[in-house]
């Protein structure tokens, strides 16, 4: 079977309620204490499980934090078979704003990036996880939306996601989450669309 960390295991299926509880506990603790002071012991206690149960799912603090602040369901927006390309780009921007506005993510990002920079194998592994979710989903959606619009797709979906996330993160650093308001998101969407 496949674990939350993307590893295949044999034997009895894992209890998905533990996965959910552990990720929720990690997000709560990140918002409370930040990345440096987060421990797997505290996460396990808050999730009412054991450290070995946590480690069976995520082998390190960086793994659990990556899954907690970048959960698969938040990396993409729900599909809409009637969406235009502008709708899809706006969805990317809105989703980036939602992720970056999360207090847990904002307290985790510097510590997580530091750990990834110090461990190239870990960086590759977690980057691959993010890219496989974002690139695969967005590529198909952008192509379908352009087809519905009757246009040729000139935007690189991965580049749209990277630019949107980078700009969103920088805006939050400079202006706080309040800077990611509707006006900012509309301007960012228009700028990304103009790049195509």
């Amino acid at each position: 079977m496949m674990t939350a960390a993307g590893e295949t295991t044999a034997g009895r299926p894992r209890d998905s309620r533990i996965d959910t509880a552990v990720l929720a506990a990690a997000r709560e603790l990140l918002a409370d204490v930040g990345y440096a002071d987060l421990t797997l012991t505290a996460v396990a206690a808050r999730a009412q499980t054991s450290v070995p149960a946590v480690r069976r799912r995520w082998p390190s603090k960086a793994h659990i934090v990556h899954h907690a602040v970048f959960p698969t369901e938040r990396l993409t927006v729900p599909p809409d078979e009637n969406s235009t390309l502008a709708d899809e780009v706006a969805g990317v921007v809105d989703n980036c704003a939602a992720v970056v506005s999360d207090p847990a993510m904002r307290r985790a990002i510097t510590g997580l990036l530091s750990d990834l920079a110090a461990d190239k194998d870990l960086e590759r592994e977690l980057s691959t996880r993010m890219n496989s979710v974002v690139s695969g989903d967005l590529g198909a959606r952008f192509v379908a939306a352009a087809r519905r619009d009757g246009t040729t797709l000139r935007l690189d979906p991965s580049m749209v996601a990277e630019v949107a996330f980078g700009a969103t993160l920088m805006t939050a650093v400079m202006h706080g989450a309040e800077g990611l308001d509707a006006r900012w998101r509309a301007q960012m969407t228009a700028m990304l669309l103009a790049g195509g």
Side-chain angles (χ1 to χ4, degrees):
M1 77 159 286
M2 188 75 76
T3 69
E7 298 149 347
T8 303
T9 62
R12 188 177 67 189
R14 299 206 190 282
D15 187 343
S16 63
R17 292 172 299 181
I18 294 176
D19 297 347
T20 301
V22 168
L23 293 176
R27 280 191 294 273
E28 291 167 8
L29 284 165
L30 283 165
D32 290 345
V33 304
Y35 186 86
D37 292 329
L38 182 79
T39 66
L40 296 189
T41 300
V43 170
R46 185 167 291 205
Q48 299 182 334
T49 188
S50 66
V51 171
V54 173
R55 285 198 178 278
R56 278 195 296 273
R57 292 160 170 81
W58 301 279
S60 72
K61 179 166 83 170
H63 282 87
I64 191 171
V65 169
H66 198 270
H67 283 82
V69 300
F70 299 118
T72 301
E73 66 273 12
R74 288 186 64 184
L75 294 177
T76 59
V77 295
D80 178 354
E81 62 183 21
N82 298 311
S83 65
T84 64
L85 189 56
D87 293 333
E88 292 293 347
V89 172
V92 170
V93 173
D94 288 345
N95 218 29
C96 287
V99 169
V100 170
S101 296
D102 182 349
M105 188 276 179
R106 291 173 65 199
R107 294 206 64 187
I109 192 66
T110 54
L112 181 59
L113 289 176
S114 178
D115 277 2
L116 295 182
D119 185 336
K120 292 302 177 189
D121 290 337
L122 179 65
E123 182 179 46
R124 234 181 334 268
E125 178 187 344
L126 295 182
S127 295
T128 297
R129 173 198 172 236
M130 182 93 72
N131 287 330
S132 68
V133 174
V134 174
S135 299
D137 180 75
L138 284 185
R141 291 168 63 142
F142 274 41
V143 167
R147 188 179 304 120
R148 284 190 292 271
D149 288 350
T151 63
T152 301
L153 180 64
R154 293 185 176 86
L155 292 172
D156 179 335
S158 293
M159 184 67 74
V160 168
E162 291 165 15
V163 170
F165 183 75
T168 304
L169 186 58
M170 191 62 180
T171 299
V173 167
M174 294 179 68
H175 306 288
E178 313 79 54
L180 303 171
D181 59 13
R183 180 173 174 273
W184 184 90
R185 295 195 310 272
Q187 288 179 330
M188 178 55 58
T189 298
M191 186 175 74
L192 289 167
L193 286 165

